[in-house]
Every structure is written in C-alpha cells, then in structure tokens.
Amino acid sequence: MKESLHGTVAAELRRRIRSGEIGVGESLPSEAELCEEFSASRTPVRQALAVLREEGLIGGGQGRRSLVLDAVPAQPFESFLSFTMRAELTGQVPGQRLQEIALRRPDPAVAAALELDADAMVVQLLRLRLLDGRPAMLERMTYTEAVGRPLLSADLDAGSIYAVLTEQGTDLAAARHTFDAVAADATDAELLEVGVGSPLLRERRVTTDSQGVPIEWSDDRYRPDVATVTVTNTRGTRTARL
C-alpha cells in the first residue's frame, strides 16, 4: 500500500532528526518551505508536523517554526511490547535469533509474578534481538500455557512475537515495566558479545489482559550502548496538597 503524503513527509523529517541533520534545539523548515520541497499543500504538511509533535520530537507551531525537542520518538503502548516497532520508530532494522523455546514449569518467582500454581505449565523462550545486525537485547519470556502454546509452532525468527499474539486474538491490555541494571551472566555475555559481569540495562515486564490477569513475564537485557530509557513527566491540571 502506498504511503500517504503526510506519512512520507513525517518519515523524512523523522529521519533528518534521528540522523542529526536537524539537531535538537534547531528549527524545522517553515510550512511554506516544506510545502515547496514536497510539492504538497499545507494540510498534509500540518498533519505530518502533528504526528511528530505527538511523538514528542518537535514543539512549537501556531505561527512559529517547529523546534526539535528530542531525537527519539515517544512510544505507544504497542511498541513497549514490540522490539520490532521500537526499531522501526527509530529507523533501524530489527532482527532476531531464537535460542530455545519449551513448555515447562516455571521457577517460583516467575510463577508468583504470573499468579500461577507451582505445578502450572508455561511456555518459556530465550531469543536474541538484533539492531542493524548487531546484538542488542536478550529476551527471556514466559507466557501462560494458553497464551504461549501457539508460539511453539510459530516462526519466531520471522518478526514480532507481539504481532503473533495479536493475530491470534490475545488480549494485551496493560504492562508494568521495571528498569534496573544487572551484571551480565555467562549466557548474556556469550549472546550479547560482552564480558561476564558487564553492566546491562534490564527491563522486567508483567503484561496483563483487560481483566488484570497476568499473561506474560519478561526479563529483557539490553546492551547499554544500544538502548537508553527516557521518562517524560506531565504536570496535571490538579496538584495534590498536604
């Protein structure tokens, strides 16, 4: 399907921002200049700018030139579950290599996180994720048996597990993320090509369905030279007072 004109404009401006061609703190071309460059009317240009504004990349507007605020797009809920979508948002090529997948009983900590009985079965997998062909992140993922069974026969080297789950109708409603640092163990070191004990950025995630029932537990470990975490706080209209 052919990309919309405003999508083309947004993608090109996003590329320029990510590459540093237009740096943080610098202004984008004016609407008139963008209209001329892309042979477009003001409507698709303004739509493209609105997309970048929604992603947190630019600010300003309303008669003023838009200013670059950040080089990393904000991520919607879906992209927090999908390494593939994160990579595409930043213009990188994602890849993956499944190391193992099995139906087994989880250890007590994982069973507790998923609110499962000690003798429950789960689907667990270990998968290396790549960015532009380089090792970037190691996934240790656990799914409740009902959710994870289809993954046993899926081609998990083909792309996003989130996409597979969505296609099978899995109810992914919310996720709680915990970030910390952890020393690379022997498996991390071998697959991520770092030294044993090297610091890694770890994201632990519990994903629940719309009823609040846990269906996934994940321990994802990133090389710190290819991943960072940005948190944006928004001040609400009401402030609690003591």
Side-chain angles (χ1 to χ4, degrees):
M1 181 170 29
K2 185 177 180 181
E3 186 175 32
S4 64
L5 182 53
H6 83 267
T8 299
V9 176
E12 173 57 20
L13 293 177
R14 193 184 295 113
R15 182 198 67 76
R16 294 178 191 178
I17 292 170
R18 180 178 175 273
S19 68
E21 188 175 328
I22 306 175
V24 174
E26 296 180 358
S27 297
L28 293 184
S30 67
E31 287 186 6
E33 290 170 335
L34 291 172
C35 289
E36 181 177 358
E37 178 181 353
F38 292 96
S39 300
S41 66
R42 286 188 181 269
T43 296
V45 166
R46 287 175 176 171
Q47 289 174 328
L49 295 176
V51 168
L52 299 185
R53 198 171 292 113
E54 179 70 19
E55 293 176 355
L57 290 176
I58 65 173
Q62 297 181 341
R64 297 172 296 167
R65 287 200 180 201
S66 297
L67 194 71
V68 176
L69 301 179
D70 203 335
V72 180
Q75 298 167 359
F77 170 75
E78 290 83 355
S79 72
F80 278 114
L81 296 181
S82 172
F83 181 92
T84 301
M85 292 183 68
R86 296 189 203 193
E88 291 172 351
L89 279 172
T90 55
Q92 294 171 292
V93 178
Q96 48 279 321
R97 296 176 190 157
L98 181 66
Q99 306 299 309
E100 67 173 25
I101 184 168
L103 183 66
R104 59 167 67 103
R105 288 185 174 84
D107 64 42
V110 174
L114 290 173
E115 300 178 5
L116 296 174
D117 294 333
D119 60 350
M121 300 296 286
V122 297
V123 174
Q124 292 188 317
L125 64 93
L126 179 69
R127 191 168 69 152
L128 177 66
R129 305 309 304 272
L130 311 171
L131 286 176
D132 294 335
R134 297 176 54 209
M137 184 261 279
L138 192 59
E139 296 172 321
R140 292 172 171 86
M141 308 175 84
T142 301
Y143 293 93
T144 57
E145 184 177 0
V147 170
R149 268 197 176 275
L151 299 178
L152 293 170
S153 58
D155 182 3
L156 300 186
D157 284 340
S160 170
I161 289 177
Y162 173 78
V164 175
L165 295 175
T166 300
E167 288 170 5
Q168 73 182 32
T170 303
D171 178 14
L172 298 162
R176 185 179 73 249
H177 307 261
T178 301
F179 293 91
D180 63 3
V182 65
D185 63 20
T187 300
D188 298 329
E190 178 185 357
L191 295 174
L192 291 173
E193 300 178 6
V194 298
V196 173
S198 296
L200 301 174
L201 174 64
R202 179 171 65 172
E203 175 195 355
R204 286 172 290 172
R205 179 178 67 250
V206 177
T207 305
T208 56
D209 64 17
S210 57
Q211 302 303 310
V213 177
I215 57 178
E216 179 214 40
W217 163 257
S218 183
D219 178 323
D220 298 340
R221 302 183 182 192
Y222 295 82
R223 287 179 56 123
D225 58 338
V226 296
T228 60
V229 175
T230 300
V231 177
T232 301
N233 293 324
T234 301
R235 185 174 181 178
T237 54
R238 292 186 177 182
T239 301
R241 296 178 182 273
L242 297 179

